[in-house]
Amino acid sequence: MVAAMRNLFLADLIVRSVLPIGDRQMADEPTEETRDQRYDRQTKEQFELLGRFVQAFELMVFEVRRGCIHLTTSGVDHQSLMNRVFHHSALSAQPLFDILSALITAIVVELSPKIDPDQRTTTLGVLKQLRTNFKDLVERRNKLLHGTWFIGWANPAATDFSKTSVMNLKWTAEGELKPPPLKGADDLKQLTSKCADMAHMILSLVMCIHLTGGPRVCQNFQKQNGRWITTIQRVE
């Protein structure tokens, strides 16, 4: 330990003896970030947040589409056929989820007459929660991606470019202006996290429905603080 500290001390002496006085000061003190550098860093962070949200949303929709395909196919050839159906441009996010919801409901209500009533009740309860959350995320996504983004907009005197804002003007029936669709960068982070959670919930539910021995939803979902959660661990 002593030898290591002595070597570091000697190395520092060598650097100080070789560098000119001006360079020594630069080596000792971190360079202050310029306005342009701060602008580039802060706007880049915001564009990254937007990109992460778009990806998380589409991955959530991917799980819905994949669930539809798995629940309607029994082999590779049939799956190839269903790929063409469920990847059709006419099927956007909400119609896809409506189809998945109808498929799961049909399985536990009509196609499984001998299913444990608790399995059916739990499945329908989870599905109801997912339906509400999915619709909310679709609406938020549409407002954001069809809005006008102001990233990096500032006056010549501004030095902080970290504010994320988007304009999508909507009025109530009474003529009052609705709040903006985004409060800030933290709001976008939360939406991204909600999409990831939803994707995992949807995948977990489809897995429990698609089991050979019949649905096993009760064993893998439970209520916590009035909301359904899955006990299946997410693979990062």
Side-chain angles (χ1 to χ4, degrees), residues 160-197:
D160 183 10
F161 313 99
S162 60
K163 184 179 179 181
T164 303
S165 62
V166 57
M167 183 175 69
N168 191 334
L169 299 182
K170 301 290 181 182
W171 287 264
T172 65
E174 292 75 26
E176 295 181 359
L177 185 63
K178 294 183 179 180
L182 190 72
K183 297 176 182 177
D186 288 340
D187 197 16
L188 198 54
K189 290 178 183 177
Q190 291 176 8
L191 286 173
T192 302
S193 178
K194 286 181 180 179
C195 287
D197 291 341

Side-chain angles (χ1 to χ4, degrees), residues 100-129:
L100 179 65
S101 178
L103 289 171
I104 293 176
T105 301
I107 289 172
V108 299
V109 174
E110 300 173 23
L111 305 181
S112 306
K114 296 181 180 179
I115 189 176
D116 186 331
D118 288 340
Q119 294 286 352
R120 180 182 296 114
T121 302
T122 300
T123 301
L124 295 178
V126 172
L127 200 54
K128 181 180 179 180
Q129 178 179 299

Side-chain angles (χ1 to χ4, degrees), residues 44-57:
K44 180 182 177 183
E45 289 171 355
Q46 292 170 73
F47 283 120
E48 285 179 352
L49 285 175
L50 177 56
R52 290 181 187 279
F53 166 67
V54 171
Q55 175 178 260
F57 181 88

